[in-house]
Amino acid sequence: VAPYRRGVICALNSPKGGSMVVTDFRDRRLCASQPSLSCFSGAIGCVKTQSLNSDLVVCCGYSKSRYGSEGGLVRDPYIKVFDVRYAVRAVTQVLCGFAPVAVTCHPQFSDCFLSFSEAGIVSVTDVSAGHGQVMQQFQLQASPYAQEGVHFAAGDISTSGDVFVFGDTVGNVQLWGTDATSALNPISEPLPVPSDTSYETCSTYQMDENGPLACVPTYAREDEGEPLLSDISKQDMCVGFPPRDLYPQVAREMATVDAKLSVVRITTKNEGILKNLNYRIPNPISRGVRRRDRKANDVFVPGKYLYKQIQGGGFHEGKYVEFDFGFYNTTKFAGLENNLPNCYCNPLLQVLYFTYPFCSELLRCTPDPNAEFCIRDELSFLVYMLRRAEGDQPCQAQNLMRALMQSQDALNVGVLSSTMDAQICRSTREIEADVNKEQSLFRRIQTLFRFLCEHLHKEELELRKLKSNSDHRTLAKGVFGFTNSVINKCTKGHVTKKDTLYFQTSLQLPKDTEVDKTFMELLQESIMSETSIRAWCNSCNTYVPMTQRRIVSSLPAVLTINCNIKNLRQLRFFASQATEAPWLKTKIFLKTDKAKGNVLASEAPGEEGDDQSKWVEYDLTAMISMVVDERGKNDFVDPDTSTDSITDTDAHFITHVRVHPAYDGSDVSAEGEEGEPRWVLFNDFCVTPTDVKDAMQMFGHKKVPCMLFYSRRGAQQGAAAKGLRPTPDLSRDGFHSLCAERPLTYGRQLKNTFTSLNPKTETPGSGGGMKVVGIDCEFVALSKTEKQLHPDGSETILKNARLVLARVSVVRGEGPSKNVCFIDDYVRAVEPVYDYLTRYSGLVEGDLDVGRSKHHLTTLKKTYMKLRYLVDQGCHFVGHGLKNDFKMINITVPADQIIDTVELFRLSHQRKISLRFLAAYLLKKDIQGVTHDSIEDANIALELYDVYCELKEAGTLKQKLQELYRWGRENKWDLEKLSTGS
């Protein structure tokens, strides 16, 4: 056991190997099973931490011998290093030149540890750079008392760092230090010799259960006047705030389970109140009691700004209750789910979608099926999905995050965190993402925007086979890019100029918060800065003082401004009283003066007599803000807090967006019915109508502006002519060509499970071709499901397993070749698979591996484009549970194109019936006996749809459903009774 700041780290050894468990004493569920992280295949020999304030853990141990069970265990030459700051994650593993018997952290250097060998070798290793680097190594001298064959078995260092201690296998202990006066710790003093020896001669008293306690002797005190602990008088003690008061409606419905737990039954009366509790709004009844020690001018953030968590659903009163997304979104615009890794980017993705010229160009991009991890294509897929989704159907950015994780540039700039759980196997790329991650949440989203723009610009130039310094207008450059000229002038008048492409500018706020400057003054100083530096002059051939000027020589279509707030006290610049004009302006005018080489910023298009045509008008169209709420606690925030110290667990992002009329499907101007533009607040999947006044509210120090987006008035109108009409990803010939492509496993004998469509006689789509198709998908899990069980037997899913598409089968639903499969794609896995879910998917290890698979293996992008083509052609998909399948695939299908047998054979407000039960009851077929097969399931769904059409035409559908439910309730949905005919 090794202690750390929040609990203890335990090493567990079992026949399966050595694993490490981190127990957090702050967690109330201490008795619950803690996740373990496998460290060694044999056993852990030693685990150490530096101090209670350290997050670095090192351990050494044993691995299983290569000779199997008869070989036993051997010392592992690797030392494993972990970080337990937020969750247990591997930092690195260090290969020693020997098999270490013990390790320990250096008490004076936080990133260094020492390892000891049996032969007496001591090695000092530094892991500050993310990998182990041996700083020093030395050999201990043999003790004169050492015997032949005796080895060192243990080693440690004192807290002062001046004394080493070593133990050998026969019990000798050696102390090594700089001199005889070396201190063991900072408060080392000689031990005093006790003068009173009466304690050593105290007699013992044997006492049984019936013996009187008065017979037990009391030990004498050195000072008779010293009080005992029991003599201390009663004192008042501060124990914190009183418990939170409950709403009367909730208290009346509360039932006590035991002394520590009470449960509330959800009824129609209190359902609205319980849902509001998800917003974590402070209780108005107890607010005065809980906040009486706060200042009167404290401001609390409304519930629509606070972090919302997807509970994942659960079983309540025997029924499965799904999470109600429609409660959090009453608009027609789709939100983004936040239960995936790296979901901090959701507000930025919404801003990119609602940036009209950017979205319009993305929808017309033609993706390349051979570029598997193209960021531009994945962004176009996401924009298309947001365009077609409804408000109560949030989307996921899972495929985009998957492509970003495969980009080495994204890992280098630190905009991603690991997508795998720390206690599950992780690849080198996952570990690298956590090591390089930008810890400051405030800086990370700004870095992500810059990376996306630079990567899109570079990616498009590479596709067009142009040089990186080309003047070609790319998508990112045409919307967000502007030229920043750096002019250096030395004391002798030599001038050098260099033009650089930028996609954002930073607002330079004064360090002195008492300085009064307008937003336009600071913006102009930030765009056009002048500093004095000392640099190399090629003309003078020496280092000379220079004057460096930075100016914007061209203005972008969308001006992106980083607010660059260093600490929360600088929010006073953005805050304004209700009676005052907002400091942050919603409309600005910019003008570039090439003759004078400067940029002017103003609230109005210049004075009288000035050329009005040179001024460019910009409107505020989006603002990304960081809400500091510590995951919904809504507590007091220290104004001296640095923004760089705010992490993922302390805050989250929201965005205010000014919606262009084209997103509503109208052709009117940007002004609404009352002359005001339409604003919408996006808080992940929670979408709320709002206004510009709400966007300007800072709520004390809890809402921190992060990024501002100003759109040029002419750019929005210029893109309006093109509209938001998407371009088809594939043509008819392109679809048939993609279906006929060779798989990744070409050259190997494969199982022939499908027959491709005939381009001459078979055409999918509603325009005279094959309109109905059957579909079924199989998935594998990249992480496990986290559940919480309640004393009443109900359970809540805290975090769903992260599933990815592994196989999709599409069969013909019409024509002479009905029920014949024409797409059966296995999707190559690019991330470690946690569970193949063989019982439900029919997949086993190796099916998704290019080197071992015997199936038609392809990439996720090609499979996605095939399905996208079928959706665009108006095909109707018949399947079972398609809502979840399409959600996992990250594709949006209109409701009128989905024929789900789950909903066809279901009575209102009744349970959903499995495909296997429907097949057994209605078709008299036994399926899914051992494993699932997607082709079989798709064909069964088509047959059930035919039965549905027959029953509906005969008018006996409702009667058949009532009979089906009645039999199921009487026989407890037991398929064995159904197969025996009972």
Side-chain angles (χ1 to χ4, degrees), residues 100 113 227 264 275 332 388 429 519 598 774 797 840 891 907:
F113 66 88
V264 179
K275 285 185 176 181
K332 63 179 295 184
R388 303 197 63 169
R429 188 172 292 274
F519 175 73
N598 56 15
I797 300 177
Y840 307 101
I891 192 171
L907 290 177

Side-chain angles (χ1 to χ4, degrees), residues 445-462:
I445 195 168
Q446 298 173 355
T447 306
L448 176 62
F449 174 77
R450 184 177 67 253
F451 165 77
L452 287 176
C453 291
E454 293 176 351
H455 190 86
L456 290 174
H457 177 70
K458 176 183 176 182
E459 204 172 51
E460 189 170 345
L461 290 179
E462 291 178 351

Side-chain angles (χ1 to χ4, degrees), residues 332-343:
K332 63 179 295 184
F333 306 113
L336 291 169
E337 295 187 12
N338 61 357
N339 55 352
L340 298 173
N342 302 305
C343 60

